[in-house]
Amino acid sequence: MLSFLTNVLLFCFITKAQCANFTSTKAKPPPLKPNVNQKEVELHRLDLRIGNVTHVYLHPNSSHLYCETVDVGEGKDRVIVSGLANYMQPWQLLNTRVVVVCNLKPAKFRGVLSQGMILCASETYNNVTRVEVIHPPEDSKAGNRVFIHNRTGMPDPMLNPKERVWPQIQVDLKTNDEGHVVWKNQRLETIHGPLKVYLLKNAPVY
C-alpha cells in the first residue's frame, strides 16, 4: 500500500513538473527575425555638405532661435532654424562657412520650416554652455561633400526618422585632442582637408 501511494505521488510530481515545463515553453514568444532590409548605420548615410551662411535673423516667434539662409551648392539657399541665439551674435554666423546635415526630414520649428541642421561642438561646465560651429577647411566651397578619410559611400536621399540614423551616429561624433571632428575616431574631411574647431576640443558634436 505504501509503495502504491509513493508511486502515485511520484507520478503526480512528475506530471506537474512536465505540465509546468510545457506551459513555460508554450509561453515563450518566437524569436524575432532580423530585418534584412534595414541599412547599416554608417556616417556616409548623412548628406554632409559645406554651406555658406548668407543671412541670419531672429526667429519671428522665438527669442531663442535663429533663422539662417544657407547656400549648400544647390542654386537656391535653404532656410535652417537653429538654437544658436543664446550662444552667439548674428554677425558671428553671417558669411561664415559651416557644415550642414542636408538630408534630415524638413521640420517646422515655431512655424518656420527648417531644411537642415548646422553642426556645432558644445560643452557645459559649471552650468555654462559654450557652442562653436564646426569649421571647414579654408578653401572649401558651398556644396563640397564631407566624408570619412579613405572611406566612401552614398548618402540616403532623405533619412527616415523611424530608423533614428542621426541619433545613432551623433553619439560617436565629437572633436578630438587636435580639434579635428571624428566619428568613431575616424576623421571627417572635405577634398580640401579636415573639419576642425579652435576652442572646444574633446567635445560632443550636435
Side-chain angles (χ1 to χ4, degrees):
M1 182 66 178
L2 182 60
S3 176
F4 172 77
L5 289 175
T6 301
N7 289 336
V8 170
L9 290 172
L10 181 60
F11 173 79
C12 291
F13 175 78
I14 293 174
T15 303
K16 286 182 179 179
Q18 288 175 334
C19 288
N21 185 56
F22 177 77
T23 303
S24 174
T25 303
K26 291 290 285 184
K28 291 181 181 179
L32 294 175
K33 294 181 180 180
N35 185 354
V36 296
N37 295 320
Q38 186 171 350
K39 297 180 183 178
E40 187 177 1
V41 177
E42 290 285 346
L43 186 122
H44 68 73
R45 293 185 63 183
L46 297 183
D47 183 359
L48 296 173
R49 292 185 234 164
I50 304 306
N52 185 50
V53 180
T54 58
H55 187 42
V56 184
Y57 57 96
L58 195 63
H59 192 294
N61 300 318
S62 174
S63 60
H64 303 292
L65 301 174
Y66 281 147
C67 298
E68 302 99 0
T69 57
V70 184
D71 175 11
V72 291
E74 296 174 323
K76 181 181 179 181
D77 292 358
R78 293 190 181 206
V79 175
I80 295 177
V81 179
S82 70
L84 297 175
N86 290 338
Y87 306 106
M88 56 189 69
Q89 297 298 315
W91 61 265
Q92 293 176 287
L93 283 170
L94 186 62
N95 296 322
T96 61
R97 286 188 298 272
V98 293
V99 179
V100 179
V101 185
C102 291
N103 60 342
L104 295 174
K105 185 177 180 179
K108 281 190 175 182
F109 292 89
R110 303 294 297 271
V112 176
L113 187 67
S114 181
Q115 300 169 300
M117 180 172 60
I118 295 174
L119 288 187
C120 299
S122 175
E123 70 172 12
T124 300
Y125 182 73
N126 286 340
N127 294 321
V128 176
T129 299
R130 296 194 301 164
V131 175
E132 180 181 1
V133 296
I134 303 302
H135 304 286
E138 288 294 327
D139 295 331
S140 296
K141 295 178 175 57
N144 284 169
R145 300 280 181 173
V146 175
F147 50 87
I148 290 178
H149 182 67
N150 286 335
R151 294 186 66 177
T152 59
M154 292 299 295
D156 291 13
M158 182 179 293
L159 296 177
N160 183 348
K162 293 182 179 179
E163 293 183 17
R164 295 181 56 79
V165 174
W166 165 245
Q168 292 181 72
I169 289 175
Q170 189 278 319
V171 294
D172 295 306
L173 198 59
K174 61 183 180 179
T175 60
N176 63 12
D177 290 335
E178 299 175 304
H180 293 150
V181 179
V182 296
W183 183 70
K184 294 186 176 180
N185 296 319
Q186 302 171 93
R187 196 175 70 188
L188 273 65
E189 57 188 36
T190 72
I191 57 174
H192 299 288
L195 309 182
K196 62 182 179 180
V197 293
Y198 298 109
L199 301 174
L200 301 185
K201 299 178 180 180
N202 297 309
V205 173
Y206 300 94

